[in-house]
Amino acid sequence: MPESLFCSPDGAPVQYWQVALPGPLRQLFTYCIPAGQAVCAGMRVRVPLGRGFRVGVLWAPTQASADWVIKPIESLCDEAPLLEDDLLACMAWAADYYHYPLGDALLAAFPPSLRQGASLRCVALRLSAAGHAALLADSIRGCRQKNLMLQLAAEPQGVAVHALSDAPVSVRRRLSALGLVEEFELTSLPRWPAIQAALGVAPQLNAAQAAAVQAVFATLSKFAVWLLDGVTGSGKTEVYLHLITEVLAAGRQVLVLVPEIALTPQWVTRFSGRLGLRPAVLHSGLSDADRLQAWLAVRSGLAQVVIGTRSAVFQPFADLGLIVVDEEHDASLKQNEGFGYHARDVAIWRARRLNIPIVLGSATPSLESIRNLELGRYQGLRLPERAGGAVLPKIYPLDVRTQRMQGGLSDALLAAIEQHLLAGGQVMLYLNRRGYAPNLLCHACGWVAECPHCDSFVTWHRHAQRLRCHHCGHERAVPTHCPSCSAALSPRGLGTEQLEDVLTALFPGFGIERLDRDALSRVGELDRRLARIHSGAARLIVGTQILVKGHDFPNVSLVGIVDADQALFANDFRGAERFAQQLIQVAGRAGRADRAGVVLVQTHHPAHPGLNQLISQGYGHFARGLLRERAEIGLPPARRAALIRADGASIDAPNQLLAAMADWLGQMPDEQLVIWGPVPAPMARRAGRYRYQLLLLANDRPTLHRALAQLAAWQGSRRPAGIRWSIDVDPLDMA
Ligand code: ADP
Ligand code: ZN
Ligand code: ZN
């Protein structure tokens, strides 16, 4: 309770509070509350704003001058704060660090339904008497309904909704409507390890794994950032599982952050099987109701393990004891638009605040993390060898100059594919371009199908019979003839659909699965495809980067990288780092069990120094070379960066806005600050808007931070109509 008591306009004593409200204004709003009302930071309030009402969060008590007209809040939404101090502090830090409005940042910590004021009950499901009877009579037809009912039958005390990530809401609603399952409010769960049911057998840790586990155990009650640098298949996940078990035994919660696409039911099953509990699984596809259930369960401590994609870092843990960030180099941990936070970095902040360890795992650590290790900010753990006797695959460049190619595959690669298939192995081909062909071209006049809204060509999706832009969502029918000269059109370039067709024709009978975003648009499709691969029904696998993320295919003996050249010559300064990470990760899919693996890299530049260094000396060496280069040129992570983006419907206005910003910053010369631009973005027009960017580089964070704060303050008064602009701190995606 604040000490200061004032009087409201009608003479009653009041207290004044700052309230964080969503919206672009980077300020807090002051309201008054009756003095007798017990309130504290983190409670939601409904307040009048403009002509309507908004839900905001009480931030801090404040003083107010008697001359101000200060409106009272309309109502309090909560009896207790929804966000605890540590999360409030985290949101305040993140809003400040990423220069994002506090009210909007706070919203990221709430499930959407709480922004309207939903009920706060944790709900669980159990089978009703009618449900038991129906199961006994075997009268349930729907396969998903029956599965859920069998699950519930096995757990008579009920299953919390947050732990039912594999059962869609629609199925649950249907069963409730039929009276076959019943909902009840959950107040407690049997604590781990009482619920350990059928625990999978843990392999005996090897020496490197045991050393890693020991090192982290020794600091379990202290903040430390551990970089677990382990080659693909070295058993990093085993290390996480051992650590998690220990933390659960101490009665504390665990957060595991993973890249979006790696979060498959197989992966979750491995976790639950070994931990003996159902983790709360959080990803972007969750319904609002499920998101709320998970949030409540985390807050009450009922959810002991949370596995989630980047936004899970804002969950309101009751007693967090450990954070794991798997594939810490993965760019999907950073949000590029709006609130541009990096989940790894926010997680590190939270771990420091809570004084707990955080483990960052990767076979290809980011340059940022390698540098932090070199600077002594992180501690290193290494797993240099594959676990369980598997060996790392051998990587060979394959010179395709002057070679005969069929559907993008050289004779040498085709021969290797055949050999591995006949020897009983599986073959994986990596091509980071979905669709049938990236261009549709007129050979007579040179016309190429373009996107009307972007500086980009449209991709021909032959199976769907559409032309699609991969940047703005534009799509249209495929023209039968060239619109400019009526000649026939032909595809140019290679996409995964075409590769799939070529392989089906060349290797009939071996079964082929394609893993790319198009193939995964339907729910459950990824799992069906992965199941066919795991069962051996599919022996050939074609895919984009989705397949490199965390999937483990023990029988793959050959990996073919169909086109290394597109990545070798990327124009982003992070191109080489990304290429190396992708190559090593894709290569890591080969030879995971008892089969030795081979990786063939098709290229027109077999002597490319980067490629050869990577192959002969490995990722660590290559990455340290890149770090030295970045330091010489003065690019991140040697310097801190922020990207200011602006876009608008006309070509000049966004450029002028950024030029004015650059001028304005230039008037306060700071030797530590370097300004590059404005320049057109690499994709200068997207979705009909012209895009420019300004890159700010600084030797230290305070300098960069000062410049950004000045910009945010300066722009408040001048915002040219129709122009959007944003600040991206530590940008990863420069497109
Ligand atoms: P990573 O996460 O580093 O890719 P995983 O933890 O998935 O590695 O391990 C790769 C494979 O090796 C898995 O099949 C796992 O069960 C197995 N494995 C891990 N550690 C051991 C060990 N100590 N002994 C035997 N097999 C192991
Ligand atoms: Zn033509
Ligand atoms: Zn487009």
Side-chain angles (χ1 to χ4, degrees):
M1 279 287 289
E3 300 301 327
S4 55
L5 291 186
F6 296 87
C7 284
S8 70
D10 58 13
V14 295
Q15 43 183 327
Y16 291 100
W17 274 78
Q18 292 182 313
V19 175
L21 290 174
L25 291 175
R26 291 159 194 267
Q27 72 183 63
L28 295 162
F29 296 79
T30 303
Y31 288 90
C32 61
I33 301 176
Q37 184 82 51
V39 291
C40 58
M43 286 179 168
R44 289 173 307 158
V45 286
R46 225 171 101 86
V47 298
L49 185 76
R51 265 178 260 142
F53 291 91
R54 292 278 184 87
V55 173
V57 177
L58 286 183
W59 190 250
T62 183
Q63 309 278 335
S65 149
D67 338 326
W68 297 355
V69 182
I70 291 180
K71 291 186 183 164
I73 62 165
E74 198 238 3
S75 61
L76 263 179
C77 307
D78 309 309
E79 282 158 18
L82 275 197
L83 300 183
E84 297 294 330
D85 281 352
D86 79 286
L87 193 51
L88 284 175
C90 173
M91 302 321 291
W93 170 79
D96 182 58
Y97 184 94
Y98 294 105
H99 291 268
Y100 195 67
L102 176 64
D104 283 342
L106 277 174
L107 280 190
F110 283 115
S113 35
L114 279 188
R115 295 172 208 161
Q116 284 103 42
S119 124
L120 300 182
R121 286 189 331 142
C122 264
V123 179
L125 293 183
R126 66 184 160 223
L127 219 50
S128 66
H132 278 292
L135 265 189
L136 279 178
D138 198 16
S139 62
I140 308 297
R141 285 292 144 255
C143 163
R144 291 203 285 191
Q145 299 184 2
K146 189 162 170 182
N147 273 347
L148 175 57
M149 290 179 63
L150 287 171
Q151 270 183 42
L152 294 177
E155 294 180 53
Q157 80 282 12
V159 180
V161 165
H162 76 258
L164 283 172
S165 59
D166 43 350
V169 198
S170 57
V171 173
R172 293 177 341 226
R173 290 230 175 94
R174 176 111 193 92
L175 290 176
S176 305
L178 292 172
L180 298 174
V181 306
E182 57 195 20
E183 277 190 5
F184 63 99
E185 180 168 357
L186 189 69
T187 45
S188 72
L189 263 186
R191 300 289 296 183
W192 191 90
I195 39 176
Q196 287 182 51
L199 272 193
V201 184
Q204 182 78 36
L205 294 185
N206 62 34
Q209 285 171 316
V213 167
Q214 275 315 316
V216 183
F217 271 178
T219 65
L220 263 189
S221 51
K222 275 217 310 275
F223 169 67
V225 186
W226 296 95
L227 183 61
L228 177 60
D229 176 358
V231 299
T232 52
S234 57
K236 295 183 288 296
T237 313
E238 281 308 321
V239 171
Y240 307 152
L241 287 166
H242 271 79
L243 295 172
I244 294 170
T245 312
E246 187 73 11
V247 175
L248 288 178
R252 308 188 74 184
Q253 292 168 295
V254 178
L255 167 63
V256 183
L257 291 170
V258 296
E260 181 84 36
I261 212 74
L263 194 56
T264 63
Q266 274 91 349
W267 207 80
V268 174
T269 307
R270 178 171 174 197
F271 259 71
S272 19
R274 283 287 308 288
L275 295 175
L277 57 71
R278 293 161 173 275
V281 179
L282 288 161
H283 54 81
S284 56
L286 233 48
S287 71
D288 282 358
D290 283 359
R291 196 170 290 283
L292 175 61
Q293 282 301 310
W295 192 88
L296 293 170
V298 174
R299 185 160 169 267
S300 62
L302 289 171
Q304 288 159 279
V305 175
V306 175
I307 303 181
T309 53
R310 63 175 177 247
S311 66
V313 75
F314 298 125
Q315 286 288 311
F317 291 92
D319 184 14
L320 187 60
L322 171 72
I323 305 177
V324 171
V325 184
D326 192 27
E327 312 289 357
E328 67 84 27
H329 65 279
D330 195 277
S332 74
L333 289 166
K334 168 95 161 85
Q335 181 152 299
N336 293 316
E337 310 219 315
F339 187 13
Y341 65 93
H342 196 305
R344 174 195 62 213
D345 298 341
V346 176
I348 291 172
W349 194 92
R350 285 195 85 174
R352 176 182 292 123
R353 166 100 185 186
L354 296 170
N355 204 23
I356 58 172
I358 173 168
V359 179
L360 314 177
S362 178
T364 52
S366 61
L367 295 193
E368 281 73 12
S369 293
I370 295 177
R371 179 163 185 269
N372 281 325
L373 184 67
E374 285 178 353
L375 293 175
R377 293 177 187 152
Y378 296 175
Q379 321 219 35
L381 301 168
R382 301 235 324 126
L383 305 180
E385 275 156 29
R386 283 195 157 177
V391 288
L392 277 172
K394 293 245 177 316
I395 307 177
Y396 304 97
L398 201 61
D399 185 358
V400 295
R401 285 173 302 181
T402 74
Q403 298 298 302
R404 190 170 74 119
M405 307 288 276
Q406 294 180 62
L409 305 172
S410 62
D411 285 351
L413 181 52
L414 286 172
I417 294 174
E418 179 165 22
Q419 184 201 336
H420 281 261
L421 288 176
L422 292 178
Q426 279 176 318
V427 173
M428 179 180 272
L429 292 167
Y430 176 73
L431 177 66
N432 209 10
R433 230 190 258 128
R434 65 201 163 88
Y436 190 84
N439 299 163
L440 194 60
L441 166 88
C442 171
H443 196 51
C445 78
W447 177 88
V448 187
E450 290 175 338
C451 175
H453 312 297
C454 304
D455 285 344
S456 147
F457 299 116
V458 285
T459 301
W460 181 25
H461 288 255
R462 191 171 166 186
H463 298 180
Q465 300 187 321
R466 303 292 283 173
L467 294 179
R468 286 189 184 136
C469 172
H470 289 179
H471 304 285
C472 74
H474 162 81
E475 61 171 83
R476 61 179 193 263
V478 184
T480 48
H481 296 284
C482 172
S484 99
C485 78
S486 305
L489 294 170
S490 46
R492 182 176 62 180
L494 182 70
T496 46
E497 271 184 20
Q498 192 176 346
L499 193 55
E500 182 183 15
D501 287 1
V502 169
L503 290 166
T504 311
L506 290 173
F507 301 100
F510 282 103
I512 172 161
E513 281 303 342
R514 176 162 56 89
L515 300 180
D516 60 22
R517 207 173 293 284
D518 296 323
L520 310 183
S521 41
R522 288 216 321 276
V523 192
E525 187 64 29
L526 176 61
D527 298 311
R528 277 192 287 280
R529 292 186 186 224
L530 290 174
R532 272 177 47 78
I533 295 170
H534 284 291
S535 73
R539 302 272 302 282
L540 280 154
I541 308 155
V542 168
T544 58
Q545 41 178 328
I546 285 177
L547 64 68
V548 310
K549 296 201 178 165
H551 301 306
D552 194 357
F553 305 118
N555 267 321
V556 169
S557 58
L558 171 68
V559 168
I561 300 196
V562 176
D563 180 8
D565 297 347
Q566 54 166 334
L568 275 181
F569 298 98
N571 54 8
D572 187 323
F573 76 84
R574 289 184 212 271
E577 174 186 0
R578 294 240 170 84
F579 168 71
Q581 288 167 345
Q582 276 180 23
L583 180 82
I584 298 298
Q585 295 283 349
V586 182
R589 304 306 112 198
R592 303 269 293 184
D594 43 1
R595 288 169 189 279
V598 174
V599 181
L600 298 177
V601 184
Q602 291 200 137
T603 174
H604 290 89
H605 306 273
H608 189 284
L611 180 63
N612 282 285
Q613 195 198 20
L614 179 61
I615 292 176
S616 60
Q617 294 170 326
Y619 178 81
H621 197 87
F622 180 78
R624 282 188 293 276
L626 286 182
L627 258 183
R628 280 192 298 277
E629 257 172 45
R630 300 258 187 100
E632 277 161 27
I633 316 172
L635 282 171
R639 276 200 180 132
R640 313 302 298 241
L643 192 67
I644 319 292
R645 298 192 178 89
D647 64 57
S650 82
I651 194 162
D652 294 327
N655 188 16
Q656 281 160 4
L657 174 69
L658 292 185
M661 286 184 176
D663 275 354
W664 192 74
L665 285 176
Q667 284 165 21
M668 288 159 279
D670 185 335
E671 281 149 32
Q672 304 296 318
L673 186 72
V674 179
I675 306 171
W676 285 1
V679 293
M683 177 164 290
R685 191 174 58 114
R686 186 161 82 190
R689 296 179 71 88
Y690 293 89
R691 313 165 71 230
Y692 282 82
Q693 55 194 31
L694 188 68
L695 183 65
L696 305 186
L697 291 165
N699 288 346
D700 54 55
R701 202 182 91 69
T703 305
L704 183 68
H705 195 76
R706 263 197 313 279
L708 293 174
Q710 284 168 354
L711 271 190
W714 173 79
Q715 77 84 35
S717 51
R718 306 147 246 249
R719 191 208 297 265
I723 306 225
R724 291 187 306 215
W725 76 280
S726 62
I727 296 174
D728 187 358
V729 177
D730 304 333
L732 283 187
D733 179 7
M734 315 287 275

